[in-house]
Amino acid sequence: GFYTDPSDGRHRVRIKECFPYHIIAKRDSQGRIVPAESWKDAFEKAKNIFSDAYIRNTEIRNTMGLTNATIDPLWNQEQNNTVYSVMSYIEGKDYENYEENCLKDIFTRMKRLCKIIGGYHKEGCLHLDIKPENILIPSDTKEQIVLFDFDSLTELRKIREGNEVRLSCSEGFSALELVLGD
């Protein structure tokens, strides 16, 4: 979601909360996330992965060729027994809610996405959750796209070394090798 600063109504940021779908948890009366007893360790690990994603996102954003293709992470905030990632707000729509005008625009945008993915691969990273709602289309351009949702970003080195066992994927958008566990 996004948040607008109530003091002037102009400063907007995007906020993502760490509340993993696979962990059994609820909110208490103060809004704190409380995982079920048997899920406490998994939730702590998920918060660490979420925080590490902020660091990886910052590193990717500082890479030449990916700066304008990556959401700008501002800071992480620990609160309510979880972690929030605060990112700069870019006016636009996610690709799930964007309507292309013509086939040429689709090809132009997908070519740009392929170049961005190639940049990630060159940096030794895999973005394992590329789907329409993780692609932002800024309102003032036809060619630019911005990727976000970086808690599924994985270093290829860790996979090759066998150190990465959590491979994120979304149903309907996952690579066949992820779906099959290969």
Side-chain angles (χ1 to χ4, degrees):
F2 72 89
Y3 168 78
T4 302
D5 183 347
S7 65
D8 65 8
R10 294 180 303 146
H11 296 96
R12 288 182 167 183
V13 293
R14 289 189 184 275
I15 300 175
K16 182 174 180 186
E17 176 185 55
C18 179
F19 195 146
Y21 70 91
H22 66 283
I23 291 177
I24 297 172
K26 62 179 182 173
R27 290 193 191 274
D28 66 14
S29 61
Q30 280 113 25
R32 293 172 42 92
I33 297 175
V34 181
E37 189 65 37
S38 61
W39 289 93
K40 284 185 177 182
D41 289 342
F43 185 54
E44 288 303 314
K45 184 176 180 182
K47 289 192 302 186
N48 288 333
I49 290 169
F50 188 89
S51 294
D52 289 346
Y54 166 81
I55 294 167
R56 284 193 307 268
N57 185 19
T58 302
E59 290 169 351
I60 289 287
R61 177 143 172 89
N62 290 329
T63 301
M64 189 61 86
L66 294 175
T67 300
N68 294 335
T70 306
I71 200 83
D72 187 12
L74 302 173
W75 71 85
N76 271 2
Q77 176 74 37
E78 290 187 39
Q79 195 170 330
N80 298 329
N81 193 37
T82 192
V83 181
Y84 298 90
S85 184
V86 181
M87 301 160 274
S88 63
Y89 181 81
I90 298 175
E91 191 174 338
K93 293 182 179 181
D94 65 44
Y95 201 62
E96 183 175 48
N97 295 304
Y98 188 83
E99 189 174 319
E100 293 285 9
N101 294 323
C102 65
L103 192 56
K104 181 180 182 242
D105 289 348
I106 294 171
F107 285 128
T108 299
R109 197 163 326 278
M110 291 305 109
K111 181 179 177 183
R112 178 71 181 130
L113 178 60
C114 290
K115 284 183 179 184
I116 293 168
I117 293 169
Y120 278 67
H121 293 176
K122 185 178 175 186
E123 292 301 312
C125 292
L126 300 174
H127 190 309
L128 298 176
D129 202 16
I130 295 176
K131 57 186 177 183
E133 58 262 30
N134 288 343
I135 300 171
L136 180 68
I137 311 299
S139 58
D140 58 350
T141 180
K142 284 190 173 191
E143 289 84 25
Q144 185 183 4
I145 60 174
V146 179
L147 291 179
F148 56 98
D149 198 8
F150 288 91
D151 50 336
S152 59
L153 195 66
T154 302
E155 292 179 62
L156 188 56
R157 169 188 58 81
K158 288 183 179 179
I159 295 172
R160 287 186 178 140
E161 294 170 354
N163 295 330
E164 184 68 60
V165 293
R166 183 195 66 84
L167 298 177
S168 176
C169 55
S170 290
E171 188 176 337
F173 296 99
S174 302
L176 184 58
E177 57 271 21
L178 281 177
V179 174
L180 297 175
D182 185 15

